[in-house]
Amino acid sequence: VLPSFGPVDPFQLVKEEIDSVSERLRRSIFTGIPTLRSAAQYFFKVGAEGKRFRPTMLLLMASSLSSVMPSADYLTVDDRPPNVHPAEERRRQQRIAEITEMIHVASLLHDDVIDNAEMRRGLKALNSVFGNKIAILAGDFLLARASVSLAALRDSEVIQLLSQVIEDLVTGEILQMTSTEEDLLSLDHYVRKTFHKTASLMANSCKAIAILGGQDREVAQLAWEYGRHVGLAFQFVDDVLDFTGSTMQLGKPTLNDLRSGLATAPVLYAAEEHPELNTLILRRFKSEGDVERAQELVFNSRGIQRARDLAAQHAQLAAQAVQSLPTCSNDHAIMCRQALTDITAKVLARKK
Ligand code: FPP
Ligand code: MG
Ligand code: MG
């Protein structure tokens, strides 16, 4: 009989360790160049860090695959320089959490330039404070520092996995920008793009955690599957929240996708009921009144519900990947597996 635990908040379970990872991250992006320093630090300041969803998921994955409780030593900040490679497994996994968050924020800085965004995480977007040029360079700087930390792990497979993520992020963005008419109407194309822009980072970083934890191919593959399905569910919910969320809670405006000319899952499903939407999708909602009309058609369809169902299917597949992990007898690992499963439910219920 498996031990059962009362409800545990996945985020609370690793909060202390996440705080020390955040602190190390702040130190590892230090530079003596003042403008670069304030631009790079912008989204890592206490209070501006967002949900820290990825590092949380990654440390829970690390604990889920470990036969020991993480020692209290690992709750302190690792203050070795980023180019010094730590020998201890847990420290190496913490560095993956940092690197992942750096790549994520770098991609947001670039994304906000591309999307001409004004708000992010309830703050002014970096491009609207420092301008596009500094925002792009700050993103490049974060990628450079992430690369130094990655190289210092001296694991060529892990380096490859996280480098692939950067390629996938760029690919996703280009796929989105250069879609043909056929692509614009295709759910398949939308899912593929979503893998590249959101799920690849979660999949490959989860796999890196498993590899650094000394796990075999099969377990590493399950970690990858978990990250992929959580990532897809996460983005499908994001695309629903663009219709149903509140600007206050999201920290960024709603109906952003329609205004940017993007047809996401709710719209693509709604178009099956209201073929009139196809015309709007193909002209990227650019004519007067298109955004409002599309919104109305989406709300008068099962589009939102079907997009939620699609997210739920992937959340379920993510939970299955956790259940397929080899059995373990370590209570802490079992509790963290439960937390990984709870995260899949939290992704579906999230409002921000
Ligand atoms: C947010 O999507 C954007 C991404 C998840 C990825 C953006 C990737 C790039 C700009 C390529 C460059 C990558 C690197 C690594 C520098 P969104 O615009 O749909 O969502 P939002 O509402 O959060 O802006
Ligand atoms: Mg954007
Ligand atoms: Mg974008």
Side-chain angles (χ1 to χ4, degrees):
V1 182
L2 292 176
S4 75
F5 302 95
V8 273
D9 178 356
F11 289 85
Q12 280 307 319
L13 209 49
V14 286
K15 165 111 186 17
E16 233 182 308
E17 192 176 358
I18 290 290
D19 284 340
S20 85
V21 164
S22 295
E23 179 52 31
R24 209 204 94 86
L25 200 167
R26 280 190 280 274
R27 293 183 195 178
S28 77
I29 56 167
F30 181 83
T31 157
I33 314 296
T35 303
L36 184 55
R37 183 168 67 234
S38 34
Q41 285 174 341
Y42 191 75
F43 283 117
F44 295 115
K45 292 229 169 80
V46 177
E49 303 151 291
K51 301 179 285 290
R52 297 185 291 183
F53 179 83
R54 293 162 189 78
T56 299
M57 171 180 77
L58 293 171
L59 293 185
L60 288 172
M61 179 61 77
S63 296
S64 292
L65 301 177
S66 171
S67 52
V68 290
M69 269 283 282
S71 122
D73 300 349
Y74 293 115
L75 297 178
T76 60
V77 182
D78 174 9
D79 52 13
R80 286 168 289 191
N83 59 346
V84 171
H85 90 94
E88 322 90 285
E89 187 175 296
R90 189 72 181 194
R91 285 294 186 204
R92 293 162 73 71
Q93 290 171 322
Q94 289 179 351
R95 296 235 169 147
I96 293 297
E98 270 168 52
I99 292 161
T100 299
E101 201 62 1
M102 281 193 246
I103 295 174
H104 172 57
V105 171
S107 81
L108 296 181
L109 298 186
H110 286 191
D111 178 68
D112 285 345
V113 170
I114 294 171
D115 294 344
N116 211 359
E118 283 167 11
M119 262 177 98
R120 165 80 63 192
R121 295 182 176 170
L123 300 172
K124 291 183 85 174
L126 190 72
N127 44 299
S128 65
V129 180
F130 287 84
N132 284 348
K133 294 179 185 181
I134 298 284
I136 293 287
L137 293 167
D140 291 340
F141 171 78
L142 293 178
L143 287 183
R145 286 289 166 95
S147 304
V148 170
S149 294
L150 189 54
L153 295 174
R154 295 170 193 254
D155 184 310
S156 59
E157 186 175 9
V158 166
I159 293 174
Q160 223 177 339
L161 285 169
L162 276 284
S163 305
Q164 181 66 46
V165 169
I166 299 176
E167 173 177 333
D168 287 346
L169 285 164
V170 172
T171 301
E173 198 59 33
I174 298 274
L175 279 175
Q176 180 165 293
M177 242 179 236
T178 59
S179 315
T180 63
E181 294 210 331
E182 194 185 331
D183 294 339
L184 283 172
L185 300 171
S186 154
L187 189 74
D188 214 51
H189 180 265
Y190 160 80
V191 173
R192 193 157 9 105
K193 176 198 82 181
T194 304
F195 169 77
H196 285 90
K197 80 170 217 193
T198 308
S200 168
L201 178 60
M202 298 198 197
N204 286 303
S205 57
C206 280
K207 184 171 177 182
I209 291 285
I211 290 171
L212 292 179
Q215 299 293 327
D216 63 22
R217 294 282 109 210
E218 282 89 281
V219 172
Q221 185 59 28
L222 287 169
W224 189 87
E225 292 293 346
Y226 175 82
R228 180 171 87 96
H229 290 301
V230 169
L232 289 172
F234 188 93
Q235 188 60 46
F236 298 150
V237 170
D238 213 68
D239 295 344
V240 166
L241 288 173
D242 198 51
F243 285 93
T244 62
S246 89
T247 300
M248 267 295 275
Q249 277 189 320
L250 293 172
K252 60 186 183 186
T254 53
L255 294 185
N256 217 10
D257 293 330
L258 290 179
R259 287 189 227 284
S260 319
L262 299 177
T264 56
V267 187
L268 295 171
Y269 284 128
E272 292 178 18
E273 288 169 58
H274 304 291
E276 175 193 345
L277 268 170
N278 292 329
T279 317
L280 308 193
I281 295 171
L282 291 178
R283 64 177 188 233
R284 291 180 173 262
F285 316 104
K286 286 296 175 266
S287 296
E288 180 78 36
D290 279 2
V291 168
E292 294 71 21
R293 180 68 184 144
Q295 179 191 20
E296 186 184 342
L297 291 169
V298 166
F299 280 115
N300 284 306
S301 76
R302 296 192 53 249
I304 304 260
Q305 189 51 48
R306 290 180 69 194
R308 284 210 180 100
D309 292 346
L310 182 65
Q313 280 168 28
H314 285 281
Q316 176 68 28
L317 290 167
Q320 272 173 28
V322 174
Q323 276 156 23
S324 307
L325 290 171
T327 47
C328 73
S329 52
N330 175 277
D331 280 2
H332 187 69
I334 294 172
M335 183 161 72
C336 290
R337 288 180 185 194
Q338 180 62 50
L340 284 179
T341 306
D342 292 348
I343 276 188
T344 67
K346 282 199 178 289
V347 162
L348 295 180
R350 76 192 178 96
K351 297 269 180 281
K352 60 174 185 174

